[in-house]
Amino acid sequence: MEERGINMLFVLGGNGTHAGAHAIHEECGKRRLKIAVVGVPKTIDNDILLMDKTFGFDTAVEAAQRAINSAYIEAHSAYHGIGIVKLMGRSSGFIAMQASLSSGQIDICLIPEVPFNLHGPHGVLSHLKYLLETKGFAVVCVAEGAGQNFLEKTNATDASGNIVLGDIGVHIQQEMKKHFKETGFPADVKYIDPTYMIRACRANASDRILCTVLGQNAVHGAFAGYSGITVGICNAHYVYFPIPEVISQPRVLDPNSRMWHRCLTSTGQPDFF
């Protein structure tokens, strides 16, 4: 940037990307370079602190509906059918919660912020049997970061330095098949993992407008001389945040929030303790 005379840098991404933007901003300060470094929050996980919503979240929730619909059809079309959908969400269950709430087809939603048991009288498997006996089928939505305590830790990290998570979706599928086989209760388990299909798609109208406004505000901030900031929505207002404030830790879902309680009401699931 110094060699090429670049005086504005716009960085789009999540917590890791913003940490990189902050490091560049700090280095520019050390070199006394007049370069504005401004972030634009883009993550489908919706896990950046202090922000109402990040670009990509609405589209991901909408795309997740297709996977949930497929799981519902598979489960509903089989005798004692169970459809499992694993959605993205390393440390937060916003996608799983919103997708479950909006679909109206989910019976069990499992997220990283709320611990649960699989086995036992109050576990997920016990409730699944009840659903199969009463409804005849069940649909389960699980966030990728949920139930990691059931999986063996490898301590491996990806290119961004994040711990590689175990596959909770496959684990739950195997545990279900094993449990119902051992108990002699017939169950047809189908597993759907849309992975990047909920991210690698065109932005919907809501996200397009959000991204446009965030981009415009980022440019306004850079031309005004701000640096080391990111743009976002807070309490329905477009504001500038200091980057260190929003990357100190991931934003997580509040299990006591009214939105999570709405999700529980929609699914009808109990506490799995």
Side-chain angles (χ1 to χ4, degrees):
M1 288 192 295
E2 187 175 7
E3 289 176 359
R4 299 189 180 193
I6 296 171
N7 60 8
M8 291 182 186
L9 174 67
F10 300 97
V11 185
L12 283 66
N15 284 302
T17 306
H18 274 75
H22 180 64
I24 294 173
H25 164 71
E26 293 279 285
E27 184 62 25
C28 288
K30 290 178 183 177
R31 301 188 185 191
R32 293 185 170 279
L33 301 176
K34 293 182 178 180
I35 299 176
V37 181
V38 180
V40 178
K42 179 205 66 70
T43 168
I44 66 169
D45 285 355
N46 201 33
D47 62 348
I48 299 184
L49 277 179
L50 306 176
M51 298 191 186
D52 297 350
K53 185 171 63 175
T54 55
F55 167 62
F57 175 65
D58 275 354
T59 303
V61 170
E62 192 171 297
Q65 300 297 295
R66 290 189 282 275
I68 292 174
N69 289 337
S70 297
Y72 171 82
I73 291 170
E74 285 289 343
H76 192 262
S77 302
Y79 177 66
H80 286 174
I82 301 174
I84 309 168
V85 179
K86 187 184 79 171
L87 298 175
M88 288 183 170
R90 290 185 55 85
S91 55
S92 58
F94 289 107
I95 295 177
M97 178 187 70
Q98 295 280 48
S100 297
L101 187 58
S102 60
S103 75
Q105 298 173 333
I106 298 296
D107 298 292
I108 297 174
C109 179
L110 304 173
I111 60 174
E113 296 88 339
V114 179
F116 59 90
N117 290 323
L118 283 175
H119 299 276
H122 303 293
V124 172
L125 297 175
S126 177
H127 185 60
L128 269 175
K129 184 179 179 183
Y130 166 77
L131 290 170
L132 295 181
E133 291 173 336
T134 54
K135 283 182 58 178
F137 69 97
V139 185
V140 180
C141 178
V142 56
E144 64 178 323
Q148 290 298 305
N149 54 303
F150 299 125
L151 307 171
E152 184 178 348
K153 291 180 173 59
T154 62
N155 294 323
T157 57
D158 60 18
S160 299
N162 298 314
I163 295 175
V164 176
L165 300 177
D167 197 331
I168 186 62
V170 171
H171 177 75
I172 287 179
Q173 177 197 28
Q174 293 172 346
E175 287 297 303
M176 286 180 187
K177 288 184 176 181
K178 179 182 176 183
H179 172 77
F180 288 115
K181 184 177 180 180
E182 290 176 350
T183 57
F185 190 89
D188 190 346
V189 184
K190 295 292 192 300
Y191 175 54
I192 296 175
D193 182 1
T195 60
Y196 285 90
M197 289 179 69
I198 71 169
R199 194 175 84 167
C201 52
R202 287 181 178 273
N204 64 13
S206 173
D207 269 332
R208 285 171 186 247
I209 294 170
L210 173 61
C211 189
T212 298
V213 177
L214 291 179
Q216 291 171 347
N217 286 349
V219 172
H220 288 317
F223 271 99
Y226 290 110
S227 184
I229 62 164
T230 189
V231 295
I233 302 179
C234 182
N235 293 330
H237 289 78
Y238 290 96
V239 298
Y240 295 131
F241 295 102
I243 290 179
E245 293 298 318
V246 300
I247 63 171
S248 58
Q249 63 188 50
R251 174 179 175 237
V252 295
L253 193 154
D254 180 4
N256 294 315
S257 66
R258 296 191 68 179
M259 191 59 75
W260 175 243
H261 288 162
R262 290 186 183 104
C263 184
L264 295 179
T265 302
S266 173
T267 61
Q269 69 190 63
D271 291 331
F272 296 118
F273 293 105

